Amino acid sequence: TDGDAAPVVVTRKPSANEKLLLLAFKVVPDKHQGDLVFVRCYSGKLAPKASLTNATTGKVERATKMLRVMAEDYEDMEELRAGDIAALVGLSKTRTGDTLVASGDKPVVKLAGMEIPPPVFFCTVEVESMAEQDDLEKVLDILTREDPSLTVREDADTGQTLIGGMGELHLEVVFTKMRRQHKLNVTQGRMQITYREAISAQVEKTFHFEGTIRGKRAAATVTIRLEP
């Protein structure tokens, strides 16, 4: 759970009689339906157009349609119950890994979700003209909703857009999506890698200085100790 109080563990049974608890495990853009948010229902039940609270972000949204996906075919669902998997339409702010609950439910329960390490590979992304900058920002928002391991930020010194990922191949796939799926003519900058190092054991060194400073003899001893 979240809020001002300390988190506590809440048990929910996989039953339709429990309060609603959904996990958004995938976000996929669709040309005909819009963004599809794939969810698994762990408990409770959901009717079309019901109000949902994103327990991860605190935002409130409403799913306009619930679809059962069978390959390329979609079938409307009248109700989503514990154990079901469905694609929800109309959730424009939900991202992969978010927890959804019924609006008004207390306490607000949040699933553990995914623990994603910070990215270490970065590169700039640019479009040919400023007229395409808005399109780039929209596409990057879509991609970060699909993939929570992808980060986007603006370089404070240069003003360039930097995207970060888990590896060089990861970012190459992102650029391929932008070019092929979203038809953006983007330029990829040089790859930058953040190296992180840390000491693994305690070390202590003592330095002794003797010399002449302004014609006077001087001596000093300094001890430095570093530890993890």
Side-chain angles (χ1 to χ4, degrees):
T1 62
D2 62 357
D4 296 332
V8 297
V9 177
V10 176
T11 301
R12 288 284 171 84
K13 297 179 181 179
S15 168
N17 297 323
E18 292 274 354
K19 291 182 179 180
L20 182 67
L21 186 60
L22 305 173
L23 174 67
F25 64 88
K26 191 173 185 180
V27 179
V28 178
D30 185 90
K31 294 181 180 178
H32 305 292
Q33 302 287 347
D35 289 346
L36 299 178
V37 178
F38 285 80
V39 298
R40 178 179 178 182
C41 183
Y42 282 93
S43 64
K45 52 188 175 182
L46 176 67
K49 300 184 179 179
S51 179
L52 296 169
T53 295
N54 189 321
T56 306
T57 64
K59 296 177 180 177
V60 178
E61 295 192 275
R62 193 179 302 273
T64 56
K65 295 173 81 174
M66 300 190 304
L67 303 173
R68 179 175 285 109
V69 181
M70 297 170 288
E72 296 182 355
D73 297 326
Y74 303 99
E75 179 183 290
D76 287 332
M77 298 177 65
E78 294 300 323
E79 188 178 57
L80 181 65
R81 298 173 67 89
D84 287 342
I85 290 177
L88 304 185
V89 180
L91 305 181
S92 61
K93 300 173 183 177
T94 301
R95 298 173 179 268
T96 300
D98 285 354
T99 300
L100 301 171
V101 298
S103 295
D105 276 359
K106 297 292 182 181
V108 177
V109 176
K110 184 166 63 175
L111 293 166
M114 298 174 288
E115 292 187 7
I116 300 171
V120 293
F121 283 73
F122 298 89
C123 67
T124 59
V125 54
E126 295 178 343
V127 286
E128 290 187 332
S129 66
M130 288 301 297
E132 297 176 295
Q133 186 64 30
D134 286 344
D135 292 334
L136 174 62
E137 291 176 2
K138 291 177 182 177
V139 168
L140 289 175
D141 181 65
I142 292 171
L143 293 174
T144 52
R145 288 183 62 211
E146 296 177 25
D147 182 1
S149 65
L150 180 69
T151 64
V152 179
R153 65 179 176 88
E154 183 179 295
D155 188 284
D157 296 323
T158 65
Q160 293 177 299
T161 301
L162 281 173
I163 61 174
M166 296 294 105
E168 188 171 357
L169 179 60
H170 180 199
L171 294 180
E172 287 178 0
V173 170
V174 170
F175 275 91
T176 299
K177 282 185 176 181
M178 286 193 279
R179 294 179 180 122
R180 293 183 181 177
Q181 295 182 10
H182 301 282
K183 310 301 180 186
L184 271 182
N185 189 10
V186 290
T187 301
Q188 179 178 352
R190 188 178 64 178
M191 198 68 63
Q192 305 169 26
I193 303 174
T194 301
Y195 291 98
R196 295 183 174 90
E197 295 181 320
I199 60 174
S200 58
Q202 179 177 308
V203 60
E204 182 175 310
K205 291 290 184 180
T206 299
F207 300 90
H208 183 73
F209 169 79
E210 289 186 6
T212 303
I213 300 177
R214 295 183 179 181
K216 296 182 178 180
R217 294 288 299 173
T221 300
V222 177
T223 299
I224 298 176
R225 184 175 69 244
L226 296 176
E227 56 188 32

